[in-house]
Amino acid sequence: MDEERFLALCRAAGERVQPDNPGQLARTGEMELDGVRIGLFFDSTTDKGIHCYVDLGTVGESERARVFHRALALNLTLEGAHGESLAFDEESGRLVLRSLIRSGDIANGAQLAGAQLADWLRQYADFAHAFRMRLEDAASGLENASLLHARA
């Protein structure tokens, strides 16, 4: 894969998941899908594939131990095809789902591959919503029931 193919994939996926602004993903490497921020990055010097980061939300300092405990436990059960794992961006205070969509996992043909990438992005957005709900359900008995906040 090269930069041109990566941008073509982003455009094709954007047409499917963001029809009102299909070129945004290719222009910026970021998009919002069903209220979930997703970033895609490609490094042509390594050509390992597309690095994907899904923003799961901000974790308040007082809730980090509880959220990290759940995230680490969940990492053991993630069975994604792209090495998905949960991580914490210390600078921003945000929890993320990260994956590496390897070049060999992407179908040939820009439109077919774009549809495939769009499906994966939808699955990641669905995961983000389910993860947030799971944390909110777990927090219902706590004084501060908002463990994970959607991006403001």
Side-chain angles (χ1 to χ4, degrees), residues 45-93:
T45 61
T46 64
D47 187 27
K48 290 183 179 179
I50 299 171
H51 298 269
C52 181
Y53 296 89
V54 181
D55 186 352
L56 299 177
T58 302
V59 182
E61 285 191 42
S62 63
E63 281 79 20
R64 286 183 183 172
R66 182 179 299 274
V67 172
F68 292 170
H69 176 37
R70 290 193 178 278
L72 287 172
L74 186 57
N75 268 340
L76 289 175
T77 63
L78 286 177
E79 295 180 5
H82 307 292
E84 290 85 355
S85 63
L86 298 168
F88 179 67
D89 181 357
E90 195 169 15
E91 284 184 30
S92 68

Side-chain angles (χ1 to χ4, degrees), residues 125-139:
D126 290 345
F127 174 88
H129 287 293
F131 185 80
R132 290 173 183 166
M133 279 185 16
R134 189 176 194 185
L135 284 179
E136 287 173 13
D137 289 346

Side-chain angles (χ1 to χ4, degrees), residues 29-44:
E30 294 183 7
M31 65 175 297
E32 190 166 309
L33 178 58
D34 297 331
V36 177
R37 280 194 65 201
I38 299 174
L40 299 179
F41 306 94
F42 174 72
D43 180 358
S44 61

Side-chain angles (χ1 to χ4, degrees), residues 15 17 22 25 27 45-46 65 71 77 89 98-99 106 127 139 149:
E15 289 171 2
V17 296
L25 186 58
R27 279 192 315 277
T45 61
T46 64
T77 63
D89 181 357
R98 56 133 320 269
S99 69
I106 300 170
F127 174 88
H149 312 281

